[in-house]
Amino acid sequence: MEEKVYRRLLILGSGPAGLTAALYAARADLSPLVLTGMIPYGQASLTNIIENYPGFPQGIGGQELGQLFEQQAVQFGAEVIYEQAEAIDLSVRPFEVKTFSTTYQTDAIILALGASHRKLGVPGERELTGRGVSYCGTCDGWFFKDKDIHVVGGGDSALEEALFLTRFAKSVTIIHRRDELRAGAILQNRAKSHPKIRFIWNSVVKEILGSEKIDGLKIENVLTGEQTTVPSEGVFVFIGHDPNSQMLNGQIELHPDGTVKIDEHMMTSVPGVFAAGEIADSHFRQVVTSAGMGAAAAIQVTHYLGDL
Ligand code: NAP
């Protein structure tokens, strides 16, 4: 018979929201269990350096910050397990969360499942992923030493990653669909003044070309409709994120963009289920705001479980 394990509080996800929630819940003596998900420490762990998390004036690596979050939560009694929630049933009490090996039963859940990078959805993208198409500069940048590569997107991620990739690449060309960047001023200034960075404005990628590896990109100027092929040895896609809420569809109220609806006390439409971080926030999406949401969710869970 399948093993069922009861825990008073489950936290799904181990990014800044999940691990901050774990710290607060542990300090409230709730012995929370964190299921890390596929990317321990979340998307922030893939960032080479985080320069805007307070307390680290020299910046700190994403992986390193995640490890510190975990260490602090564990020190106060949280347990962190490298498992992924594969199914969530909110129709039963206690709630049930299934992983590959175990069914967990719990009185309360904090959803901190984060978000996943968006794909371009053009021909060649899927086939050439891992052969020149990437979504993580920190992970893959080294493979592009002395190569001429492209970055798609105009937000903070695109510029931050483009700047990081200049360590390896011969040139980094940013393709953006408008002629104005969404990224913040500091990153814009750094990117625009960097000798290795160029821009292709008002353009979108229509196809990624190549068989064993990338040879080039078919791009279209959105103002003129003109299509051109540019040679490329790699393309990094940073065009935003979608919340990891698919498993919750039909069980909980979601906003049209897929983020989980929460009230002012971080509670979702299902009493006992709380949410924090990018799964519930499509606006701020900062390490510090996600951590803050995690703390708030844990404080509310403490009240909720105390009243049960
Ligand atoms: P984002 O801010 O949503 O930017 C996505 C970019 O991709 C936008 O420039 C957008 O163009 C473009 N885009 C979207 N869909 C596209 C498509 N189908 N084809 C081509 N281009 C497309 O996402 P992000 O850069 O990942 O940032 C997410 C959040 O994290 C933001 O709140 C950001 O401030 C934060 N962040 C902060 C830092 C930092 O503070 N250092 C670093 C990384 C991320 P448009 O501009 O035309 O919409």
Side-chain angles (χ1 to χ4, degrees):
M1 203 175 139
E2 189 189 19
E3 189 192 4
K4 289 198 177 182
V5 175
Y6 170 79
R7 296 299 286 250
R8 209 162 168 217
L9 170 62
L10 277 189
I11 297 173
L12 307 184
S14 57
L19 289 174
T20 307
L23 168 65
Y24 274 70
R27 286 172 59 83
D29 225 10
L30 296 178
S31 308
L33 176 65
V34 180
L35 305 185
T36 58
M38 286 286 270
I39 308 179
Y41 313 136
Q43 289 176 91
S45 71
L46 304 177
T47 305
N48 177 52
I49 184 150
I50 295 170
E51 291 181 317
N52 52 9
Y53 190 75
F56 297 93
Q58 310 306 322
I60 181 163
Q63 187 75 19
E64 195 185 345
L65 184 60
Q67 284 164 357
L68 290 173
F69 283 157
E70 178 179 8
Q71 186 186 325
Q72 198 171 352
V74 167
Q75 185 176 301
F76 286 102
E79 190 181 349
V80 179
I81 296 189
Y82 293 86
E83 280 185 30
Q84 185 181 7
E86 290 181 346
I88 301 173
D89 188 352
L90 303 179
S91 67
V92 293
R93 299 284 172 141
F95 304 121
E96 290 198 346
V97 175
K98 280 191 171 50
T99 68
F100 176 70
S101 59
T102 308
T103 296
Y104 294 96
Q105 296 185 306
T106 186
D107 292 327
I109 297 177
I110 296 177
L111 301 166
L113 291 159
S116 299
H117 56 72
R118 210 172 276 155
K119 295 193 169 63
L120 287 167
V122 298
E125 183 179 26
R126 190 173 51 79
E127 297 83 344
L128 291 165
T129 293
R131 298 172 176 206
V133 177
S134 172
Y135 305 87
C136 176
T138 312
C139 318
D140 299 332
W142 192 84
F143 297 112
F144 295 85
K145 214 164 173 27
D146 297 323
K147 297 199 186 300
D148 293 307
I149 63 171
H150 291 77
V151 161
V152 185
D156 284 324
S157 299
L159 266 60
E160 199 167 76
E161 297 276 345
L163 284 159
F164 177 72
L165 288 165
T166 59
R167 296 177 184 208
F168 312 99
K170 198 194 310 171
S171 73
V172 180
T173 304
I174 297 175
I175 302 171
H176 184 35
R177 63 185 179 182
R178 294 187 289 143
D179 63 357
E180 208 176 295
L181 295 166
R182 180 176 294 278
I186 292 179
L187 285 171
Q188 284 205 33
N189 292 339
R190 279 188 202 159
K192 284 178 177 167
S193 61
H194 198 288
K196 282 189 180 178
I197 294 183
R198 293 193 277 270
F199 289 88
I200 298 178
W201 300 108
N202 298 313
S203 297
V204 291
V205 175
K206 298 298 278 185
E207 188 173 349
I208 299 171
L209 307 165
S211 48
E212 288 305 303
K213 59 177 184 53
I214 290 188
D215 300 329
L217 305 173
K218 189 189 282 181
I219 58 174
E220 181 178 286
N221 183 304
V222 294
L223 302 180
T224 63
E226 188 191 353
Q227 292 198 346
T228 46
T229 298
V230 292
S232 181
E233 295 173 283
V235 60
F236 286 78
V237 180
F238 304 109
I239 58 170
H241 299 90
D242 293 316
N244 294 326
S245 59
Q246 297 83 347
M247 263 187 298
L248 301 157
N249 242 327
Q251 302 200 67
I252 214 166
E253 282 182 31
L254 303 177
H255 290 289
D257 68 358
T259 48
V260 172
K261 279 190 187 173
I262 48 174
D263 67 14
E264 71 276 24
H265 293 135
M266 319 305 286
M267 185 127 90
T268 69
S269 56
V270 177
V273 181
F274 298 76
E278 284 199 33
I279 194 167
D281 166 34
S282 58
H283 185 65
F284 296 112
R285 296 141 114 201
Q286 304 294 304
V287 177
V288 68
T289 52
S290 290
M293 290 174 81
I299 291 169
Q300 284 307 126
V301 165
T302 310
H303 293 311
Y304 173 83
L305 289 174
D307 291 344
L308 270 190

